[in-house]
Amino acid sequence: MKTRLLVAAAMPAALVRAVNNGLARTPQMGWNNWNTFACDVSEKLLLETSKLLVDYGLKDLGYQYVVLDDCWSVGRGEDGYLIPDTTKFPHGMDGVADELHKQGFLFGMYSSAGEMTCARYTGSLDYETQDAESFASWGVDYLKYDNCYHMGRMGTPLISFNRYNEMAKALKKTGRSILYSLCSWGEDYVHTWGGSIANSWRISGDIYDSFSRPDDLCACNDPANPACVAPGTHCSVLAIINKVAPYIDRGLPGAWNDLDMLEVGLGGMTEEEYKAHFAMWAALKSPLLLGNDLRVMDATTLSIVNNPAIIAISQDPKGRAAMRISRNLTVPKDEFGVGETQVWSGSLTNGDQVVIFFNAADEDLDMSASLAELFVMHGPGGSADEVKQDWTVRDLWGSEGARMSKADAQAVLDAKSDAERSSVLKRANWYNATEKPYAKGLEDGDERLFGERVGTVKAGGRLEARVARHAAKVFRLQSAGGKAGASKGSSLRDEL
Ligand SMILES: *[C@@H]1O[C@H](CO)[C@@H](O)[C@H](O)[C@H]1NC(C)=O
Ligand SMILES: *[C@@H]1O[C@H](CO)[C@@H](O)[C@H](O)[C@H]1NC(C)=O
């Protein structure tokens, strides 16, 4: 009980020294072009994509930032200000911003805290004031700020902090609300200082479209590895999860660990792998930025990224990431020697608990965890009140019902008119977070956010499930007494 109060007492919003610009109270959601298009960017691409985000109901599920990555400028003018590439963006960046705002989106742009960006366009180092002024004057709402060509200004947390803080101060000075997203690849312990100046910080080298394949370019997936000289680029879903696990608790409302943009729909993983990737990013409170080409999206992809029960975990108002409570390395391994299972557990705003059985072993396995393990954060050795009650178990993917059917997803994609499409979404009774924000839906007990009921766990019991190879089971445990029946311990935490 004492431990619990201490943990809770550290959390009141007023004492939290996060960037405090009021943005990203839940992890930001949107789309970024990089994973599919890299430098092949244009006004046309951004606006075609934003239209599809609306059409497919994704904007109304919360995907509200359209983020342009690298390769948009032609350099810096005599006056010291960046010049947009008007071949790619004929109406200028302000033209793009205006159009996106009209459609109800927020607009993100990119630069690097270096002399050049990663694709070797002009960077913002030592021009922070001018560039922040440009972003603000164009109507930009989000800045992804990279780490390439930093001219040696890294190596200790303070050096990196100071370099990134220059842009934080410059953005603040403009008076415009601009979400500040650091992309310093986990260097210089950014998880210990990123939250003081930014809304999110990347914790690893770039993700690539692989579930678990190790790659030397992601040398730092094992921090003890002496070859870990750079965060690298080819980081698998598993490598990123293992990197962030020891400091997953650093995320808090307004300031999040960023596990990098989503690969769902790019083709390198199976459906189950993509479902696991998406659910882990949601439960670990990473920003959720789609990275696929929406113009060629298939029904499988849509029915993964539009699952409101999973998104509600990401957007849960409590803003606490799930934590890893166990890891088993004694499981069948693949040809690279990779294989493990993990159990993650986290508390949600209404006293519910999200539990993920993550199977990165090379075989289907029976996995299980006792209530004592799942609620270990609330009291060790089975002492938590939560262990002494019954729980209803809900599967957030479900067989059918939690997730949009492939047939409906296909009908959304194939619809020939807006009217036809909205009638499909209406018939499917699809969730609309513009109409009913997740916080309200959770409070109301809106069934669409709670998945499919699959069983119960009795007081003192175990949660058990068969989990396919390279897949995750994602459960929401609800106190069997109903929401009002949450234990005293839960309500105590919720008040704080
Ligand atoms: C969601 O609700 C908003 C507000 O009522 C509405 O404007 C929008 O069209 C709805 N979206 C969908 C996909 O039905
Ligand atoms: C790890 O997983 C294997 C394979 O499922 C199982 O036999 C073993 O008991 C597990 N170890 C622990 C400590 O749970």
Side-chain angles (χ1 to χ4, degrees):
M1 218 43 185
K2 267 202 181 110
T3 326
R4 188 180 298 168
L5 281 169
L6 279 174
V7 169
M11 289 310 291
L15 298 182
V16 170
R17 294 173 61 86
V19 58
N20 234 347
N21 58 6
L23 302 173
R25 303 308 297 172
T26 54
Q28 66 263 32
M29 295 175 64
W31 179 85
N32 174 304
N33 67 267
W34 184 260
N35 285 355
T36 298
F37 298 94
C39 272
D40 188 11
V41 292
S42 66
E43 170 182 313
K44 185 164 175 284
L45 172 67
L46 298 184
L47 297 180
E48 280 178 8
T49 300
S50 67
K51 175 158 191 332
L52 293 176
L53 286 167
V54 174
D55 287 353
Y56 296 158
L58 293 170
K59 174 174 167 287
D60 289 319
L61 284 165
Y63 296 97
Q64 57 168 340
Y65 285 99
V66 174
V67 183
L68 166 64
D69 212 280
D70 204 346
C71 314
W72 55 267
S73 90
V74 291
R76 198 174 289 287
E78 298 274 303
D79 61 1
Y81 287 85
L82 285 170
I83 306 168
D85 183 335
T86 49
T87 311
K88 294 172 178 170
F89 301 95
H91 298 91
M93 305 326 303
D94 50 341
V96 177
D98 287 350
E99 192 50 41
L100 288 173
H101 291 158
K102 246 184 257 163
Q103 297 172 9
F105 287 99
L106 294 161
F107 178 38
M109 284 189 69
Y110 165 101
S111 189
S112 178
E115 66 175 331
M116 292 189 288
T117 68
C118 295
R120 303 183 190 175
Y121 288 69
T122 305
S124 292
L125 189 62
D126 299 331
Y127 290 88
E128 291 86 357
T129 305
Q130 288 93 328
D131 292 357
E133 281 174 17
S134 294
F135 296 134
S137 74
W138 295 332
V140 169
D141 307 293
Y142 182 121
L143 178 66
K144 172 180 173 181
Y145 204 41
D146 218 330
N147 194 31
C148 285
Y149 304 104
H150 49 52
M151 301 187 79
R153 289 186 229 172
M154 58 81 71
T156 74
L158 186 57
I159 297 171
S160 283
F161 174 87
N162 286 339
R163 179 163 50 96
Y164 279 95
N165 194 28
E166 284 306 310
M167 183 57 89
K169 289 189 290 188
L171 291 173
K172 194 162 186 191
K173 211 165 74 199
T174 68
R176 187 174 173 84
S177 274
I178 299 178
L179 190 156
Y180 188 31
S181 154
L182 305 188
C183 182
S184 62
W185 320 324
E187 277 185 2
D188 287 342
Y189 303 90
V190 63
H191 62 281
T192 64
W193 51 265
S196 307
I197 57 170
N199 297 105
S200 61
W201 53 90
R202 280 276 303 283
I203 58 93
S204 70
D206 285 5
I207 191 171
Y208 82 145
D209 191 13
S210 167
F211 186 70
S212 59
R213 183 186 168 278
D215 189 305
D216 283 345
L217 280 177
C218 185
C220 290
N221 62 45
D222 173 8
N225 177 356
C228 177
V229 293
T233 58
H234 284 187
C235 298
S236 69
V237 162
L238 179 63
I240 291 173
I241 290 169
N242 283 338
K243 180 113 196 262
V244 80
Y247 46 86
I248 194 62
D249 62 337
R250 293 308 174 112
L252 77 171
W256 307 105
N257 286 300
D258 180 352
L259 279 55
D260 204 358
M261 299 165 304
L262 295 162
E263 296 283 1
V264 184
L266 273 83
M269 296 186 225
T270 66
E271 176 174 0
E272 289 304 318
E273 290 173 338
Y274 279 138
K275 282 163 61 185
H277 167 34
F278 187 63
M280 289 299 286
W281 264 227
L284 274 52
K285 305 286 178 187
S286 173
L288 295 179
L289 292 169
L290 304 171
N292 60 315
D293 182 351
L294 297 191
R295 300 169 307 182
V296 297
M297 179 162 56
D298 61 16
T300 298
T301 302
L302 179 59
S303 70
I304 293 173
V305 302
N306 77 355
N307 182 336
I310 298 288
I311 300 173
I313 300 295
S314 156
Q315 302 296 301
D316 188 272
K318 187 164 194 166
R320 304 293 294 276
M323 292 177 235
R324 188 162 72 191
I325 58 160
S326 70
R327 185 179 183 195
N328 183 348
L329 297 165
T330 318
V331 296
K333 312 247 187 238
D334 66 16
E335 74 266 35
F336 304 110
V338 174
E340 60 182 277
T341 60
Q342 307 186 0
V343 177
W344 290 73
S345 180
S347 56
L348 301 169
T349 193
N350 58 0
D352 290 0
Q353 190 81 359
V354 59
V355 175
I356 301 189
F357 287 172
F358 182 79
N359 181 3
D362 203 31
E363 272 177 24
D364 301 358
L365 290 173
D366 293 316
M367 291 181 65
S368 82
S370 66
L371 291 180
E373 291 171 290
L374 294 175
F375 290 101
V376 68
M377 280 85 78
H378 301 171
S383 62
D385 294 343
E386 287 86 348
V387 179
K388 296 158 196 145
Q389 47 182 298
D390 299 345
W391 294 86
T392 302
V393 181
R394 287 166 167 274
D395 183 333
L396 299 189
W397 289 109
S399 45
E400 286 290 339
R403 172 183 187 195
M404 184 178 272
S405 72
K406 301 272 169 70
D408 282 345
Q410 195 62 54
V412 169
L413 296 169
D414 289 346
K416 295 284 178 288
S417 68
D418 291 353
E420 193 186 321
R421 197 174 282 115
S422 39
S423 85
V424 177
L425 289 169
K426 200 161 269 149
R427 177 165 50 74
N429 186 28
W430 216 244
Y431 198 77
N432 184 334
T434 310
E435 219 161 67
K436 191 195 271 192
Y438 290 101
K440 180 81 172 77
L442 291 167
E443 198 182 301
D444 290 356
D446 190 310
E447 279 295 317
R448 296 171 293 181
L449 303 184
F450 291 87
E452 181 180 297
R453 199 187 153 138
V454 291
T456 54
V457 178
K458 292 282 177 214
R462 297 182 78 78
L463 178 62
E464 298 177 339
R466 182 91 180 152
V467 189
R469 172 188 175 274
H470 288 199
K473 280 282 185 189
V474 186
F475 299 112
R476 181 185 266 269
L477 271 52
Q478 293 186 294
S479 176
K483 274 180 289 169
S487 72
K488 270 205 187 108
S490 301
S491 46
L492 177 63
R493 278 192 311 282
D494 290 345
E495 279 159 25
L496 291 166

